[in-house]
Amino acid sequence: MNNELIYIILALGIGALTIIMAIIAILNKKLSIAVVAAGVVSLFASILYLFMSAPDVAMTEAAIGSGLATLIFFYVLNKIKKYND
Amino acid sequence: MIRNFLIGLVLASFVYIFYNLYVSYEPKTELTGIAAHYAEQGAKEVGAANLVTAVVVTYRGFDTMGEVTILFLTASIIGFFLKLNKKDEKKVIIHKGTSELLVTSAQLLVPIIFLFGVYVFINGHLTPGGGFQGGAIIASGIALLIMANPNKEINHHAILWIESISGIMFVIIGLLGIALAGGFLDNRFISLGTFGDLFSAGAIPLIYSFIGLKVGAEISNILNKYQKSQKES
Amino acid sequence: MEYLNLGKISLLIGFILIIIGFWGILSQKNIIKIIVSFTILDTGINILIVSLGYIKGRTAPIIDASVPQLADHNVLNSIVDPVPQALVLTAIVIGFGVTALLLAYAMKLFKAKRTLEINQFNDLKW
């Protein structure tokens, strides 16, 4: 029971951070900050999956959602920056 | 003005729907229906300790095949869109130079990352992990490699062959399931073995290894295409 | 205390992320920002589906030492639902593919008009 309570408090904190990061990702004018914030949303989501006893999903989300997807976004941002120069 | 009003209207209706769903939702207290069957009979029927793997590879194996096909289609469309012409192909990416730390750690870590990816998808039926996770880990190894050396040429033919052969083998194993056991992607044509061993659960380790190689090759292909598109001016 | 269930909290987070994602898709004018909003929407839907399978106080659907070995009714009473997890597993990989495809389109569009503002792409508007 005590263990469950700790998880609930942690989940509330991580959930609040996730939502703040999502709002930052949408409102921030700088594209690179928005992309990184979206990656952080994915990372926190993978911790939430771990709390919900879904380790398979957590591994996939951490590797693909927050790692490789962010990398591809940065390739595109770099390309756009090169065009603008 | 009217645009913001319409957006507000759409969002407010979503909030209304979700509020009603949230208030009326009651958390489950026990497994019912098909999930109860998988939990009770999964270990006996399929022999995999990881029930998620059992569902992904055998019970819903057909979904997985469609999913891998979608990924293949995506990779081909991206390859079509980001195709370079002959002149750009020969260009060299000019960069400010990668740091010593990144280059050295890439040399050290990439083989270990590949090994870990293979470990994850071979043990997919026993521990958390499997083909998709292992493939993603292998692809992140490739990502480290091309970040350390932006002009690195990933062998395109190797990726192509790994992907085609593992896709064909996946379908052939599925058809063997029809011929020798109960249906498409049935894993019981190889004996189930002792529960919990590495070589157990029939064909699941084999199928998941091929899925892992295929997913890894496809994601590496996508990364490689984006890397090469940096050459174009 | 009834509301302090991990499943319900995650459900709420999923709903909020979906609404934020829709808000971003509808209100943003930059194509890259729209794709970022799409990934947030995707994450929200995945959290929602996983939270529907969560059952309080149970472990992951992996039968090992922490689950009493193969005594059928014990397995039934000690793991969470494996089906939503399997669905989300494939959904994440497809989501990555879709994001990569959207970004390829975005690059092509930028090359055509040298801008990312969605209002500039009005060739089919009349």
Side-chain angles (χ1 to χ4, degrees), chain A residues 56 60 64 75 78-79 82, chain B residues 50 129 133 227 229-230 232:
Chain A
D56 294 84
T60 322
I64 292 183
Y75 273 133
N78 187 29
K79 187 85 192 163
K82 256 190 209 163
Chain B
N50 187 346
Q133 293 90 334
Q227 169 76 23
S229 74
Q230 307 290 315
E232 199 181 29

Side-chain angles (χ1 to χ4, degrees), chain A residues 11-24 37 40-45 48, chain C residues 13 17 20 40 43 47:
Chain A
L12 280 174
I14 288 169
L17 278 174
T18 314
I19 289 159
I20 291 169
M21 280 297 164
I23 292 173
I24 287 175
V40 172
V41 169
S42 272
L43 202 61
F44 282 142
L48 267 182
Chain C
I13 294 168
L17 281 183
I20 291 175
I40 289 171
T43 312
I47 290 178

Side-chain angles (χ1 to χ4, degrees), chain A residues 13-73:
Chain A
I14 288 169
L17 278 174
T18 314
I19 289 159
I20 291 169
M21 280 297 164
I23 292 173
I24 287 175
I26 292 192
L27 287 185
N28 205 302
K29 286 274 186 295
K30 266 191 96 164
L31 286 180
S32 51
I33 291 176
V35 169
V36 170
V40 172
V41 169
S42 272
L43 202 61
F44 282 142
S46 90
I47 300 173
L48 267 182
Y49 293 139
L50 207 57
F51 288 164
M52 285 188 282
S53 33
D56 294 84
V57 185
M59 278 174 87
T60 322
E61 179 79 39
I64 292 183
S66 67
L68 297 173
T70 314
L71 184 67
I72 285 187
F73 268 111

